[in-house]
Amino acid sequence: MSNLKEAREKLFQRRTELQSLMRIALGETAAPGYAARARMEDTTRIPLNEEYRVQLAPEFDAFASEVRKELAAKPELPHGEPLNSENVWLWGGPTPEWGGSMQPDTLVRNAAYFNAENGVYVYGATSEEMIARHAGMKKLLAMVTTTCRAPGQQPETNAECAEKLSRLSLKYPNIKGGMMDDMTAALDDVNDDKVEQVAAVNANLKKHNPALELYGVVYCHELGVKNFSALQPYLDGVNLWFWYQEELLEIEKYVTLCRENFPGKKVLMGLFLHDYGTADAGTMPELLLHQLSYARALLSEGKINGLVILGDREIIKWPEQAAAVKGFLAGK
């Protein structure tokens, strides 16, 4: 067993133990000082566990040490394509979960932190009131399915929601398409029901505006495991996410696999400030900078079409990680 794998297993074991003892739900941890930051910046947020990250430190630090060794051995990347208003998106929207904000304009407010002009609006209602709040963003993708939607925010079916967005796009031309969160995450493989769902959403999304594009969230660990071929006629692109932060050590491998699984489709690469899969805590800043460097190189090579940062809620949850990303983007 490699040193990294052993350190990862010890970290995950400690995570599991602490979450059981502290009764922590997924995504509800934050860096120390979160409560004070929330009081100053956003009182709509629920309390999060700040002690968890402190107790996780020995195992996290051992894991991080092994990751740094792997990063040090990697070759330097060319500068590549600048990350700018054409290809950087911020993911967010009002939700009471995961330490999210309930401010209706949380995505717009927090996009300014990263100087991001494009948004992936999720969680909240797909209504004219909410879409109008995001009319100033350069490009907007909006949620069109109930999966991961905030409670009570989608009263209609997925197909009806997609058609509503299609109609709204005629009035709000910054709407460029729809996003299906966790499109196949709950499935062992793509089944007929899922194909029918995606086909219906696609048809309704393009009903009033054929130029709109449909994206689905896919995770690295799904690639090469599930058969996505039946979905390909109904997707214009995928949003690829690295659920386990150590997967970022093999970015090019997973992007290549994604392009093989979804030939000819656009690829938006997702960046998690919060590592949900391994530590349920902030992603190592070094890995985030590594991912950003790769994003520039892959954009230059035409292997991805953009970068999506998740998200608006993470800025005060993990200020060190957010600052690292902001600084990189400011330097282009």
mmCIF file of all heavy atoms in Angstrom, residues 76-119:
data_model
loop_
_atom_site.group_PDB
_atom_site.id
_atom_site.type_symbol
_atom_site.label_atom_id
_atom_site.label_comp_id
_atom_site.label_asym_id
_atom_site.label_seq_id
_atom_site.Cartn_x
_atom_site.Cartn_y
_atom_site.Cartn_z
ATOM 1 N N GLU A 76 6.127 20.939 -14.286
ATOM 2 C CA GLU A 76 5.501 22.256 -14.345
ATOM 3 C C GLU A 76 4.644 22.352 -15.602
ATOM 4 O O GLU A 76 5.021 21.879 -16.675
ATOM 5 C CB GLU A 76 6.569 23.344 -14.350
ATOM 6 C CG GLU A 76 6.014 24.754 -14.255
ATOM 7 C CD GLU A 76 7.106 25.802 -14.127
ATOM 8 O OE1 GLU A 76 8.262 25.417 -13.886
ATOM 9 O OE2 GLU A 76 6.790 26.992 -14.282
ATOM 10 N N LEU A 77 3.476 22.978 -15.472
ATOM 11 C CA LEU A 77 2.551 23.101 -16.589
ATOM 12 C C LEU A 77 2.774 24.408 -17.337
ATOM 13 O O LEU A 77 3.198 25.411 -16.744
ATOM 14 C CB LEU A 77 1.112 23.065 -16.072
ATOM 15 C CG LEU A 77 0.646 21.748 -15.465
ATOM 16 C CD1 LEU A 77 -0.671 21.961 -14.733
ATOM 17 C CD2 LEU A 77 0.479 20.693 -16.543
ATOM 18 N N PRO A 78 2.483 24.435 -18.634
ATOM 19 C CA PRO A 78 2.522 25.708 -19.360
ATOM 20 C C PRO A 78 1.430 26.632 -18.832
ATOM 21 O O PRO A 78 0.441 26.180 -18.245
ATOM 22 C CB PRO A 78 2.246 25.285 -20.808
ATOM 23 C CG PRO A 78 1.510 23.984 -20.697
ATOM 24 C CD PRO A 78 2.068 23.309 -19.483
ATOM 25 N N HIS A 79 1.587 27.927 -19.062
ATOM 26 C CA HIS A 79 0.633 28.893 -18.517
ATOM 27 C C HIS A 79 -0.775 28.655 -19.034
ATOM 28 O O HIS A 79 -1.747 28.710 -18.291
ATOM 29 C CB HIS A 79 1.075 30.329 -18.843
ATOM 30 C CG HIS A 79 0.234 31.371 -18.179
ATOM 31 N ND1 HIS A 79 -0.988 31.783 -18.667
ATOM 32 C CD2 HIS A 79 0.434 32.072 -17.038
ATOM 33 C CE1 HIS A 79 -1.501 32.705 -17.874
ATOM 34 N NE2 HIS A 79 -0.656 32.901 -16.878
ATOM 35 N N GLY A 80 -0.903 28.412 -20.320
ATOM 36 C CA GLY A 80 -2.206 28.088 -20.889
ATOM 37 C C GLY A 80 -3.124 29.288 -21.038
ATOM 38 O O GLY A 80 -2.714 30.447 -21.012
ATOM 39 N N GLU A 81 -4.421 29.006 -21.157
ATOM 40 C CA GLU A 81 -5.450 30.011 -21.420
ATOM 41 C C GLU A 81 -5.813 30.751 -20.136
ATOM 42 O O GLU A 81 -6.008 30.144 -19.088
ATOM 43 C CB GLU A 81 -6.702 29.311 -21.962
ATOM 44 C CG GLU A 81 -7.782 30.228 -22.471
ATOM 45 C CD GLU A 81 -7.488 30.740 -23.863
ATOM 46 O OE1 GLU A 81 -6.580 30.208 -24.520
ATOM 47 O OE2 GLU A 81 -8.164 31.694 -24.276
ATOM 48 N N PRO A 82 -5.926 32.079 -20.183
ATOM 49 C CA PRO A 82 -6.332 32.823 -18.983
ATOM 50 C C PRO A 82 -7.722 32.404 -18.500
ATOM 51 O O PRO A 82 -8.599 32.073 -19.303
ATOM 52 C CB PRO A 82 -6.336 34.280 -19.454
ATOM 53 C CG PRO A 82 -5.449 34.306 -20.646
ATOM 54 C CD PRO A 82 -5.612 32.970 -21.302
ATOM 55 N N LEU A 83 -7.903 32.407 -17.186
ATOM 56 C CA LEU A 83 -9.215 32.158 -16.596
ATOM 57 C C LEU A 83 -9.883 33.517 -16.436
ATOM 58 O O LEU A 83 -9.421 34.368 -15.672
ATOM 59 C CB LEU A 83 -9.062 31.455 -15.251
ATOM 60 C CG LEU A 83 -8.477 30.042 -15.332
ATOM 61 C CD1 LEU A 83 -8.081 29.520 -13.961
ATOM 62 C CD2 LEU A 83 -9.474 29.088 -15.988
ATOM 63 N N ASN A 84 -10.981 33.729 -17.169
ATOM 64 C CA ASN A 84 -11.567 35.067 -17.225
ATOM 65 C C ASN A 84 -13.090 35.002 -17.300
ATOM 66 O O ASN A 84 -13.689 33.953 -17.063
ATOM 67 C CB ASN A 84 -10.993 35.827 -18.426
ATOM 68 C CG ASN A 84 -11.172 35.052 -19.731
ATOM 69 O OD1 ASN A 84 -12.171 34.369 -19.937
ATOM 70 N ND2 ASN A 84 -10.187 35.153 -20.622
ATOM 71 N N SER A 85 -13.701 36.117 -17.657
ATOM 72 C CA SER A 85 -15.157 36.216 -17.657
ATOM 73 C C SER A 85 -15.817 35.316 -18.683
ATOM 74 O O SER A 85 -17.019 35.050 -18.607
ATOM 75 C CB SER A 85 -15.584 37.664 -17.908
ATOM 76 O OG SER A 85 -15.133 38.111 -19.172
ATOM 77 N N GLU A 86 -15.071 34.820 -19.638
ATOM 78 C CA GLU A 86 -15.644 33.926 -20.639
ATOM 79 C C GLU A 86 -15.743 32.488 -20.144
ATOM 80 O O GLU A 86 -16.604 31.730 -20.586
ATOM 81 C CB GLU A 86 -14.810 33.966 -21.921
ATOM 82 C CG GLU A 86 -14.944 35.255 -22.712
ATOM 83 C CD GLU A 86 -16.378 35.547 -23.111
ATOM 84 O OE1 GLU A 86 -17.075 34.621 -23.575
ATOM 85 O OE2 GLU A 86 -16.808 36.696 -22.954
ATOM 86 N N ASN A 87 -14.851 32.102 -19.247
ATOM 87 C CA ASN A 87 -14.777 30.680 -18.914
ATOM 88 C C ASN A 87 -14.831 30.339 -17.425
ATOM 89 O O ASN A 87 -14.675 29.177 -17.061
ATOM 90 C CB ASN A 87 -13.515 30.065 -19.539
ATOM 91 C CG ASN A 87 -12.265 30.877 -19.266
ATOM 92 O OD1 ASN A 87 -12.010 31.260 -18.127
ATOM 93 N ND2 ASN A 87 -11.476 31.128 -20.297
ATOM 94 N N VAL A 88 -15.060 31.325 -16.543
ATOM 95 C CA VAL A 88 -15.175 31.051 -15.106
ATOM 96 C C VAL A 88 -16.610 31.289 -14.657
ATOM 97 O O VAL A 88 -17.211 32.325 -14.952
ATOM 98 C CB VAL A 88 -14.212 31.940 -14.297
ATOM 99 C CG1 VAL A 88 -14.425 31.718 -12.791
ATOM 100 C CG2 VAL A 88 -12.769 31.634 -14.657
ATOM 101 N N TRP A 89 -17.153 30.310 -13.931
ATOM 102 C CA TRP A 89 -18.523 30.358 -13.419
ATOM 103 C C TRP A 89 -18.500 30.148 -11.901
ATOM 104 O O TRP A 89 -17.649 29.419 -11.391
ATOM 105 C CB TRP A 89 -19.362 29.231 -14.034
ATOM 106 C CG TRP A 89 -19.357 29.146 -15.529
ATOM 107 C CD1 TRP A 89 -18.304 28.816 -16.344
ATOM 108 C CD2 TRP A 89 -20.461 29.388 -16.409
ATOM 109 N NE1 TRP A 89 -18.685 28.828 -17.660
ATOM 110 C CE2 TRP A 89 -20.004 29.171 -17.743
ATOM 111 C CE3 TRP A 89 -21.793 29.738 -16.197
ATOM 112 C CZ2 TRP A 89 -20.825 29.314 -18.847
ATOM 113 C CZ3 TRP A 89 -22.627 29.875 -17.306
ATOM 114 C CH2 TRP A 89 -22.148 29.672 -18.613
ATOM 115 N N LEU A 90 -19.446 30.761 -11.210
ATOM 116 C CA LEU A 90 -19.630 30.479 -9.785
ATOM 117 C C LEU A 90 -20.947 29.758 -9.607
ATOM 118 O O LEU A 90 -21.977 30.174 -10.134
ATOM 119 C CB LEU A 90 -19.616 31.764 -8.950
ATOM 120 C CG LEU A 90 -19.712 31.528 -7.438
ATOM 121 C CD1 LEU A 90 -18.479 30.807 -6.910
ATOM 122 C CD2 LEU A 90 -19.922 32.833 -6.675
ATOM 123 N N TRP A 91 -20.915 28.672 -8.855
ATOM 124 C CA TRP A 91 -22.085 27.845 -8.568
ATOM 125 C C TRP A 91 -22.704 28.308 -7.250
ATOM 126 O O TRP A 91 -21.997 28.461 -6.254
ATOM 127 C CB TRP A 91 -21.630 26.399 -8.455
ATOM 128 C CG TRP A 91 -22.610 25.367 -8.025
ATOM 129 C CD1 TRP A 91 -23.186 25.218 -6.795
ATOM 130 C CD2 TRP A 91 -23.114 24.285 -8.829
ATOM 131 N NE1 TRP A 91 -24.021 24.128 -6.775
ATOM 132 C CE2 TRP A 91 -23.991 23.533 -8.013
ATOM 133 C CE3 TRP A 91 -22.886 23.875 -10.144
ATOM 134 C CZ2 TRP A 91 -24.643 22.387 -8.467
ATOM 135 C CZ3 TRP A 91 -23.545 22.739 -10.605
ATOM 136 C CH2 TRP A 91 -24.410 22.005 -9.776
ATOM 137 N N GLY A 92 -24.021 28.518 -7.216
ATOM 138 C CA GLY A 92 -24.633 28.885 -5.942
ATOM 139 C C GLY A 92 -26.092 29.271 -6.057
ATOM 140 O O GLY A 92 -26.678 29.314 -7.142
ATOM 141 N N GLY A 93 -26.656 29.579 -4.911
ATOM 142 C CA GLY A 93 -28.051 29.963 -4.811
ATOM 143 C C GLY A 93 -28.527 29.743 -3.388
ATOM 144 O O GLY A 93 -27.833 29.125 -2.573
ATOM 145 N N PRO A 94 -29.703 30.229 -3.038
ATOM 146 C CA PRO A 94 -30.177 30.150 -1.654
ATOM 147 C C PRO A 94 -30.559 28.736 -1.232
ATOM 148 O O PRO A 94 -31.344 28.064 -1.896
ATOM 149 C CB PRO A 94 -31.404 31.073 -1.651
ATOM 150 C CG PRO A 94 -31.876 31.080 -3.078
ATOM 151 C CD PRO A 94 -30.644 30.947 -3.917
ATOM 152 N N THR A 95 -29.973 28.282 -0.138
ATOM 153 C CA THR A 95 -30.296 26.966 0.418
ATOM 154 C C THR A 95 -29.996 26.963 1.910
ATOM 155 O O THR A 95 -29.014 27.573 2.337
ATOM 156 C CB THR A 95 -29.497 25.843 -0.270
ATOM 157 O OG1 THR A 95 -29.813 24.583 0.354
ATOM 158 C CG2 THR A 95 -28.000 26.065 -0.187
ATOM 159 N N PRO A 96 -30.812 26.265 2.708
ATOM 160 C CA PRO A 96 -30.524 26.168 4.138
ATOM 161 C C PRO A 96 -29.543 25.044 4.459
ATOM 162 O O PRO A 96 -29.145 24.889 5.608
ATOM 163 C CB PRO A 96 -31.901 25.862 4.737
ATOM 164 C CG PRO A 96 -32.601 25.072 3.659
ATOM 165 C CD PRO A 96 -32.122 25.676 2.361
ATOM 166 N N GLU A 97 -29.148 24.274 3.459
ATOM 167 C CA GLU A 97 -28.293 23.110 3.693
ATOM 168 C C GLU A 97 -26.820 23.437 3.484
ATOM 169 O O GLU A 97 -26.466 24.405 2.818
ATOM 170 C CB GLU A 97 -28.718 21.973 2.756
ATOM 171 C CG GLU A 97 -30.160 21.527 2.999
ATOM 172 C CD GLU A 97 -30.597 20.422 2.072
ATOM 173 O OE1 GLU A 97 -30.798 20.718 0.874
ATOM 174 O OE2 GLU A 97 -30.717 19.281 2.535
ATOM 175 N N TRP A 98 -25.957 22.608 4.069
ATOM 176 C CA TRP A 98 -24.499 22.667 3.876
ATOM 177 C C TRP A 98 -23.879 24.013 4.289
ATOM 178 O O TRP A 98 -22.843 24.411 3.774
ATOM 179 C CB TRP A 98 -24.136 22.368 2.416
ATOM 180 C CG TRP A 98 -24.859 21.203 1.854
ATOM 181 C CD1 TRP A 98 -24.740 19.893 2.224
ATOM 182 C CD2 TRP A 98 -25.834 21.222 0.792
ATOM 183 N NE1 TRP A 98 -25.569 19.100 1.471
ATOM 184 C CE2 TRP A 98 -26.260 19.887 0.587
ATOM 185 C CE3 TRP A 98 -26.383 22.236 0.003
ATOM 186 C CZ2 TRP A 98 -27.208 19.550 -0.381
ATOM 187 C CZ3 TRP A 98 -27.329 21.894 -0.944
ATOM 188 C CH2 TRP A 98 -27.727 20.566 -1.132
ATOM 189 N N GLY A 99 -24.545 24.717 5.190
ATOM 190 C CA GLY A 99 -24.040 26.028 5.568
ATOM 191 C C GLY A 99 -24.328 27.093 4.533
ATOM 192 O O GLY A 99 -23.644 28.115 4.474
ATOM 193 N N GLY A 100 -25.363 26.870 3.744
ATOM 194 C CA GLY A 100 -25.690 27.808 2.677
ATOM 195 C C GLY A 100 -26.372 29.063 3.173
ATOM 196 O O GLY A 100 -26.866 29.135 4.298
ATOM 197 N N SER A 101 -26.403 30.054 2.302
ATOM 198 C CA SER A 101 -27.062 31.326 2.594
ATOM 199 C C SER A 101 -28.509 31.284 2.104
ATOM 200 O O SER A 101 -28.811 30.654 1.097
ATOM 201 C CB SER A 101 -26.331 32.467 1.888
ATOM 202 O OG SER A 101 -27.045 33.675 2.010
ATOM 203 N N MET A 102 -29.381 31.975 2.817
ATOM 204 C CA MET A 102 -30.767 32.103 2.367
ATOM 205 C C MET A 102 -31.022 33.460 1.722
ATOM 206 O O MET A 102 -32.164 33.786 1.395
ATOM 207 C CB MET A 102 -31.713 31.882 3.544
ATOM 208 C CG MET A 102 -31.807 30.420 3.964
ATOM 209 S SD MET A 102 -32.312 29.330 2.605
ATOM 210 C CE MET A 102 -34.000 29.896 2.332
ATOM 211 N N GLN A 103 -29.974 34.247 1.523
ATOM 212 C CA GLN A 103 -30.144 35.499 0.799
ATOM 213 C C GLN A 103 -30.475 35.186 -0.663
ATOM 214 O O GLN A 103 -29.755 34.421 -1.308
ATOM 215 C CB GLN A 103 -28.867 36.337 0.876
ATOM 216 C CG GLN A 103 -28.549 36.823 2.284
ATOM 217 C CD GLN A 103 -27.242 37.571 2.347
ATOM 218 O OE1 GLN A 103 -26.349 37.374 1.516
ATOM 219 N NE2 GLN A 103 -27.096 38.429 3.339
ATOM 220 N N PRO A 104 -31.549 35.737 -1.201
ATOM 221 C CA PRO A 104 -31.963 35.360 -2.568
ATOM 222 C C PRO A 104 -30.929 35.700 -3.640
ATOM 223 O O PRO A 104 -30.895 35.060 -4.682
ATOM 224 C CB PRO A 104 -33.266 36.147 -2.779
ATOM 225 C CG PRO A 104 -33.235 37.231 -1.757
ATOM 226 C CD PRO A 104 -32.480 36.688 -0.590
ATOM 227 N N ASP A 105 -30.088 36.698 -3.369
ATOM 228 C CA ASP A 105 -29.083 37.092 -4.359
ATOM 229 C C ASP A 105 -27.688 36.640 -3.948
ATOM 230 O O ASP A 105 -26.692 37.234 -4.348
ATOM 231 C CB ASP A 105 -29.105 38.600 -4.555
ATOM 232 C CG ASP A 105 -28.823 39.371 -3.264
ATOM 233 O OD1 ASP A 105 -28.864 38.751 -2.179
ATOM 234 O OD2 ASP A 105 -28.572 40.585 -3.344
ATOM 235 N N THR A 106 -27.606 35.547 -3.184
ATOM 236 C CA THR A 106 -26.303 35.094 -2.682
ATOM 237 C C THR A 106 -25.300 34.791 -3.793
ATOM 238 O O THR A 106 -24.113 35.070 -3.660
ATOM 239 C CB THR A 106 -26.478 33.854 -1.771
ATOM 240 O OG1 THR A 106 -25.193 33.422 -1.324
ATOM 241 C CG2 THR A 106 -27.175 32.705 -2.478
ATOM 242 N N LEU A 107 -25.762 34.254 -4.912
ATOM 243 C CA LEU A 107 -24.847 33.955 -6.015
ATOM 244 C C LEU A 107 -24.242 35.235 -6.575
ATOM 245 O O LEU A 107 -23.024 35.333 -6.769
ATOM 246 C CB LEU A 107 -25.582 33.180 -7.112
ATOM 247 C CG LEU A 107 -24.791 32.917 -8.398
ATOM 248 C CD1 LEU A 107 -23.514 32.139 -8.120
ATOM 249 C CD2 LEU A 107 -25.659 32.171 -9.414
ATOM 250 N N VAL A 108 -25.073 36.214 -6.837
ATOM 251 C CA VAL A 108 -24.596 37.477 -7.402
ATOM 252 C C VAL A 108 -23.653 38.179 -6.428
ATOM 253 O O VAL A 108 -22.587 38.678 -6.817
ATOM 254 C CB VAL A 108 -25.788 38.394 -7.748
ATOM 255 C CG1 VAL A 108 -25.299 39.755 -8.238
ATOM 256 C CG2 VAL A 108 -26.669 37.740 -8.807
ATOM 257 N N ARG A 109 -24.039 38.207 -5.150
ATOM 258 C CA ARG A 109 -23.230 38.892 -4.138
ATOM 259 C C ARG A 109 -21.834 38.276 -4.024
ATOM 260 O O ARG A 109 -20.831 38.982 -3.892
ATOM 261 C CB ARG A 109 -23.926 38.821 -2.777
ATOM 262 C CG ARG A 109 -25.177 39.671 -2.671
ATOM 263 C CD ARG A 109 -26.039 39.239 -1.495
ATOM 264 N NE ARG A 109 -25.316 39.362 -0.239
ATOM 265 C CZ ARG A 109 -25.375 40.409 0.574
ATOM 266 N NH1 ARG A 109 -26.127 41.454 0.247
ATOM 267 N NH2 ARG A 109 -24.714 40.435 1.711
ATOM 268 N N ASN A 110 -21.768 36.961 -4.063
ATOM 269 C CA ASN A 110 -20.495 36.282 -3.843
ATOM 270 C C ASN A 110 -19.676 36.094 -5.109
ATOM 271 O O ASN A 110 -18.464 35.881 -5.039
ATOM 272 C CB ASN A 110 -20.737 34.940 -3.152
ATOM 273 C CG ASN A 110 -21.118 35.139 -1.694
ATOM 274 O OD1 ASN A 110 -20.284 35.482 -0.861
ATOM 275 N ND2 ASN A 110 -22.392 34.948 -1.382
ATOM 276 N N ALA A 111 -20.308 36.197 -6.273
ATOM 277 C CA ALA A 111 -19.559 36.136 -7.524
ATOM 278 C C ALA A 111 -18.551 37.290 -7.586
ATOM 279 O O ALA A 111 -17.454 37.138 -8.151
ATOM 280 C CB ALA A 111 -20.503 36.196 -8.718
ATOM 281 N N ALA A 112 -18.914 38.401 -6.985
ATOM 282 C CA ALA A 112 -18.027 39.560 -6.998
ATOM 283 C C ALA A 112 -16.709 39.260 -6.287
ATOM 284 O O ALA A 112 -15.667 39.831 -6.634
ATOM 285 C CB ALA A 112 -18.725 40.752 -6.340
ATOM 286 N N TYR A 113 -16.738 38.365 -5.299
ATOM 287 C CA TYR A 113 -15.510 38.017 -4.562
ATOM 288 C C TYR A 113 -14.458 37.448 -5.514
ATOM 289 O O TYR A 113 -13.275 37.776 -5.421
ATOM 290 C CB TYR A 113 -15.852 37.004 -3.464
ATOM 291 C CG TYR A 113 -14.650 36.508 -2.689
ATOM 292 C CD1 TYR A 113 -14.191 37.174 -1.557
ATOM 293 C CD2 TYR A 113 -13.968 35.360 -3.091
ATOM 294 C CE1 TYR A 113 -13.084 36.720 -0.851
ATOM 295 C CE2 TYR A 113 -12.856 34.896 -2.390
ATOM 296 C CZ TYR A 113 -12.429 35.579 -1.271
ATOM 297 O OH TYR A 113 -11.331 35.126 -0.584
ATOM 298 N N PHE A 114 -14.888 36.588 -6.411
ATOM 299 C CA PHE A 114 -13.964 35.965 -7.358
ATOM 300 C C PHE A 114 -13.857 36.748 -8.669
ATOM 301 O O PHE A 114 -13.174 36.299 -9.593
ATOM 302 C CB PHE A 114 -14.420 34.540 -7.679
ATOM 303 C CG PHE A 114 -14.365 33.584 -6.523
ATOM 304 C CD1 PHE A 114 -15.524 33.120 -5.925
ATOM 305 C CD2 PHE A 114 -13.149 33.149 -6.017
ATOM 306 C CE1 PHE A 114 -15.471 32.233 -4.862
ATOM 307 C CE2 PHE A 114 -13.081 32.265 -4.951
ATOM 308 C CZ PHE A 114 -14.248 31.807 -4.369
ATOM 309 N N ASN A 115 -14.591 37.858 -8.766
ATOM 310 C CA ASN A 115 -14.672 38.603 -10.016
ATOM 311 C C ASN A 115 -15.203 37.709 -11.135
ATOM 312 O O ASN A 115 -14.783 37.804 -12.293
ATOM 313 C CB ASN A 115 -13.314 39.199 -10.403
ATOM 314 C CG ASN A 115 -13.439 40.313 -11.432
ATOM 315 O OD1 ASN A 115 -14.457 41.012 -11.479
ATOM 316 N ND2 ASN A 115 -12.429 40.475 -12.266
ATOM 317 N N ALA A 116 -16.127 36.820 -10.764
ATOM 318 C CA ALA A 116 -16.745 35.905 -11.729
ATOM 319 C C ALA A 116 -18.004 36.550 -12.296
ATOM 320 O O ALA A 116 -18.863 37.018 -11.534
ATOM 321 C CB ALA A 116 -17.084 34.585 -11.056
ATOM 322 N N GLU A 117 -18.125 36.563 -13.594
ATOM 323 C CA GLU A 117 -19.275 37.211 -14.237
ATOM 324 C C GLU A 117 -20.346 36.219 -14.672
ATOM 325 O O GLU A 117 -21.451 36.621 -15.039
ATOM 326 C CB GLU A 117 -18.798 38.034 -15.432
ATOM 327 C CG GLU A 117 -17.843 39.161 -15.042
ATOM 328 C CD GLU A 117 -17.416 40.006 -16.223
ATOM 329 O OE1 GLU A 117 -18.236 40.189 -17.142
ATOM 330 O OE2 GLU A 117 -16.262 40.454 -16.255
ATOM 331 N N ASN A 118 -20.017 34.918 -14.660
ATOM 332 C CA ASN A 118 -20.973 33.890 -15.071
ATOM 333 C C ASN A 118 -21.446 33.114 -13.844
ATOM 334 O O ASN A 118 -20.677 32.925 -12.895
ATOM 335 C CB ASN A 118 -20.324 32.918 -16.054
ATOM 336 C CG ASN A 118 -19.667 33.628 -17.219
ATOM 337 O OD1 ASN A 118 -20.241 34.551 -17.796
ATOM 338 N ND2 ASN A 118 -18.451 33.226 -17.552
ATOM 339 N N GLY A 119 -22.685 32.639 -13.876
ATOM 340 C CA GLY A 119 -23.218 31.924 -12.726
ATOM 341 C C GLY A 119 -23.949 30.650 -13.092
ATOM 342 O O GLY A 119 -24.561 30.553 -14.161
#
